[in-house]
Amino acid sequence: MKRLLIASMLLLAPGLVSASGGGGYHLEDADIDLADKESLQRGARYFVDHCMGCHSLGYMRYNRMGEDLGLDEVQVRRGFIFDVKTKPGDPMVSAMRPADGEQWFGTAVPDLTLVTRWRSPDWVFTYLKGFYADENRPYGVNNAVFPDVGMPHVLAGLQGVQKAVYAKGEDGHQGPLEGLELTQPGRLPEQEYDQVVRDLTNFLTYVGEPMKLERRRLGIYVLLFLGVLFALAYALKKEYWKDIH
Ligand code: HEC
């Protein structure tokens, strides 16, 4: 029993560590809803407009995404494909060459198909809200959950600029990063920016596990089927026992 307990603790431990996000910075609840098709569609739009210049979703195809998100082929072609050579059956790959990316950002630009699975939806949400001004970095920004990040704050125009707020450390030294404060507003009020980031996180979570949408749909059919079966079985039981009582 004791051994079982220890084994299960070992299994759970990595989950606990990743849930805290490392570095001790508090992760915000992304509060996403995979059943919200409109949020997923908006997230897909934002991704293509703001992220696909650098990042790919190499394991997701345009037409599969369209099917899952309730978009027909014309909508997918018009709204998401900007290059005449790209077909709806192609994977969602960035036009940027990986070698160029590495040269420009000093690090490989990761494919984001599975990012919500190796991080977590909450991490991605907090990351996209976590850029703050830092003159010592090449792009002038750092990130609360990804220290010394190589990505510029591509949504700064929407969010604005934040500055870091540190806790008070021992004898006057600077403590750990405690929070962020908006010093220069962007085009969107805070709640609207949160919604943009939530839609993006929702979309990336769907991309990481497209079968989740399918499973939910199947689950509803299974429940309906069981309900009908129960009604029939009950009627049959009544019929059988009618004469006995
Ligand atoms: C100008 C290029 C560029 C654009 C545009 C861009 N990114 Fe990035 N992104 C990067 C680079 C480079 C990294 C790698 C950072 C590193 O490793 O230090 C990165 C890393 C990330 C990571 C962290 C991945 C990890 O290592 O776990 C996430 C999440 C991410 N980007 C999401 C986005 C989203 C969402 C958008 C659109 C809103 C976006 N990025 C737009 C260049 C870009």
Side-chain angles (χ1 to χ4, degrees), residues 50-221:
H50 297 287
C51 319
M52 232 171 112
C54 296
H55 291 285
S56 296
L57 301 174
Y59 304 99
M60 175 54 71
R61 293 172 191 284
Y62 290 99
N63 55 1
R64 166 80 201 252
M65 177 202 70
E67 228 167 82
D68 288 345
L69 269 50
L71 302 164
D72 62 35
E73 197 178 313
V74 178
Q75 286 171 310
V76 170
R77 267 191 189 283
R78 291 228 177 104
F80 298 90
I81 300 178
F82 307 119
D83 169 1
V84 284
K85 279 180 291 180
T86 306
K87 294 183 288 297
D90 288 342
M92 300 178 68
V93 173
S94 169
M96 191 178 72
R97 300 208 332 256
D100 287 341
E102 232 175 302
Q103 202 178 353
W104 291 332
F105 304 107
T107 172
V109 181
D111 183 291
L112 293 184
T113 316
L114 298 175
V115 70
T116 57
R117 295 173 67 179
W118 81 66
R119 302 292 194 175
S120 72
D122 289 352
W123 188 92
V124 171
F125 182 72
T126 312
Y127 170 78
L128 293 173
K129 292 186 62 184
F131 287 92
Y132 64 87
D134 180 350
E135 294 160 11
N136 300 320
R137 301 294 309 154
Y139 290 103
V141 285
N142 213 321
N143 192 283
V145 290
F146 195 146
D148 295 347
V149 70
M151 170 172 147
H153 185 12
V154 296
L155 299 176
L158 303 182
Q159 186 189 25
V161 179
Q162 303 186 109
K163 80 166 198 212
V165 179
Y166 296 96
K168 284 230 159 46
E170 280 163 41
D171 39 275
H173 287 297
Q174 182 176 302
L177 183 64
E178 199 175 44
L180 302 172
E181 206 180 274
L182 199 66
T183 50
Q184 198 184 308
R187 257 179 290 143
L188 298 181
E190 191 180 338
Q191 275 134 330
E192 281 178 38
Y193 181 73
D194 282 8
Q195 191 58 44
V196 167
V197 168
R198 181 170 300 116
D199 293 339
L200 269 167
T201 307
N202 203 16
F203 172 67
L204 286 172
T205 306
Y206 146 73
V207 169
E209 205 174 349
M211 274 308 285
K212 239 187 197 160
L213 288 186
E214 187 80 17
R215 275 208 299 271
R216 195 184 292 246
R217 206 159 39 221
L218 278 178
I220 291 169
Y221 284 128

